[in-house]
Every structure is written in structure tokens, then in C-alpha cells.
């Protein structure tokens, strides 16, 4: 597990919101769907801006993610019901996000690194995003556009 001190405040907020989404549903695990929902629901965030720039129907995507949250996950979670655990997919996504930040020359993991990692690690949320034509390549292209244009919401990460 990466140290959360290396995550920006918005990235930590997204992870915290993922945890809250699991608790609200009485689930004993936090998974990729919780993370994707939290990333999308952070409307002032970079991920929301990227999705809008790509022309994604964010309302339909959000509905699809929330629907996925309501379905029981197939991944094995070995835990008693009073504790909340990360699924193996989410643990891999968090680990990959630190690698992604490093590759991009960033010291801290931000929401876009979490989103890009989700698009790299095999998980059902990656497949859902692919149905909306969201891939790591197009997201990287939009992020570069936003950074070149020095759009204010990117600087806040």
C-alpha cells in the first residue's frame, strides 16, 4: 500500500468518499467501483473535466457506476462484516497510481493519477469506461491539452 501522505488532498478526499460509499451501502469492502464513483462525483475535479472534454454522458456513466455499486462484487473479500477492506483490484490501482505519478514526473498522486491507474489495471470499471470510449490514451491526450492550456482546474488537482 502506498503511503497516503504522498496523495494530494483531492486524491485523499476521493479515497475517503470511496470508503463512505461502501459504508452507505453496508458493504465490507471498498473497490474499483467505489473509487470510480467518487472520482466522477467530484464535480470540481480533473476527472469530471476530462470526461466532459471527451464528450462522455457523465450522467449516464454515473448511473452505470452507481448500478455497479449496488451489485455484489465477484472478488473475494476475506473479512468479517465489521471491518472494511480494500479489494485486490483497488489495492493494485492505488499502487499503480503512485507509479503513474512517478512516470509523469509528479511527486504527489492526484485524482488524474488514480483515474489513469484505473484505466491500466484490469477491473470491471476499466471495461465500463471502455464502453464510453474512455481509454488511458485519450485521457492522457486531454490531460496534456488541459496542462498546455493552463486551465485553472488542473492546477488545483
Amino acid at each position: 500500500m502506498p503511503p497516503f501522505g504522498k496523495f494530494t488532498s483531492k486524491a485523499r478526499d476521493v479515497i475517503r468518499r470511496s470508503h463512505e460509499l461502501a459504508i452507505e451501502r453496508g458493504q465490507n469492502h471498498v473497490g474499483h467501483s467505489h473509487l470510480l464513483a467518487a472520482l466522477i462525483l467530484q464535480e470540481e475535479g480533473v476527472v469530471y473535466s476530462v470526461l466532459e472534454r471527451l464528450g462522455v454522458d457523465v450522467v449516464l456513466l454515473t448511473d452505470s457506476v452507481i448500478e455497479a455499486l449496488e451489485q455484489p462484487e465477484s472478488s473475494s473479500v476475506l473479512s468479517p462484516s465489521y471491518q472494511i477492506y480494500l479489494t485486490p483490484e483497488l489495492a493494485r490501482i492505488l499502487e499503480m497510481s503512485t507509479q503513474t505519478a512517478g512516470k509523469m514526473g509528479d511527486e504527489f498522486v492526484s485524482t488524474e493519477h488514480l483515474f489513469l491507474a484505473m484505466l491500466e489495471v484490469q477491473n470491471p470499471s476499466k471495461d465500463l469506461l471502455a464502453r464510453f470510449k474512455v481509454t488511458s490514451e485519450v485521457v492522457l491526450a486531454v490531460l496534456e491539452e488541459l496542462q498546455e492550456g493552463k486551465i485553472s482546474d488542473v492546477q488545483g488537482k
Side-chain angles (χ1 to χ4, degrees):
M1 270 302 294
F4 288 112
K6 288 287 188 182
F7 285 67
T8 65
S9 61
K10 284 195 177 193
R12 285 193 307 269
D13 288 345
V14 162
I15 293 167
R16 190 175 309 111
R17 183 68 183 125
S18 303
H19 184 254
E20 291 168 0
L21 288 167
I23 291 171
E24 289 167 6
R25 285 160 179 73
Q27 297 167 333
N28 68 345
H29 64 280
V30 182
H32 55 84
S33 296
H34 300 98
L35 179 63
L36 180 56
L39 284 166
I40 295 169
L41 293 171
Q42 191 180 53
E43 288 189 24
E44 74 284 358
V46 174
V47 172
Y48 191 87
S49 298
V50 167
L51 292 171
E52 281 191 319
R53 174 89 42 130
L54 289 172
V56 171
D57 183 340
V58 180
V59 173
L60 181 60
L61 176 59
T62 303
D63 289 346
S64 299
V65 173
I66 298 298
E67 186 179 310
L69 278 179
E70 304 298 333
Q71 297 173 359
E73 298 230 355
S74 60
S75 65
S76 60
V77 179
L78 306 171
S79 68
S81 60
Y82 59 86
Q83 292 183 342
I84 296 191
Y85 288 87
L86 300 181
T87 61
E89 296 93 353
L90 182 56
R92 283 193 294 277
I93 289 167
L94 293 175
E95 193 63 44
M96 176 64 78
S97 69
T98 60
Q99 295 171 20
T100 301
K103 287 180 194 170
M104 294 175 76
D106 294 322
E107 186 179 345
F108 292 95
V109 176
S110 59
T111 55
E112 63 261 32
H113 300 126
L114 290 168
F115 192 54
L116 285 167
M118 178 173 289
L119 292 167
E120 293 298 322
V121 173
Q122 192 54 49
N123 67 83
S125 289
K126 176 183 177 180
D127 301 334
L128 173 64
L129 289 164
R131 290 200 317 250
F132 284 84
K133 308 226 182 317
V134 178
T135 63
S136 56
E137 294 80 16
V138 297
V139 170
L140 277 169
V142 170
L143 286 171
E144 286 176 20
E145 278 178 31
L146 290 172
Q147 287 174 339
E148 286 170 9
K150 304 237 187 305
I151 306 238
S152 61
D153 63 348
V154 172
Q155 295 173 2
K157 294 185 187 178

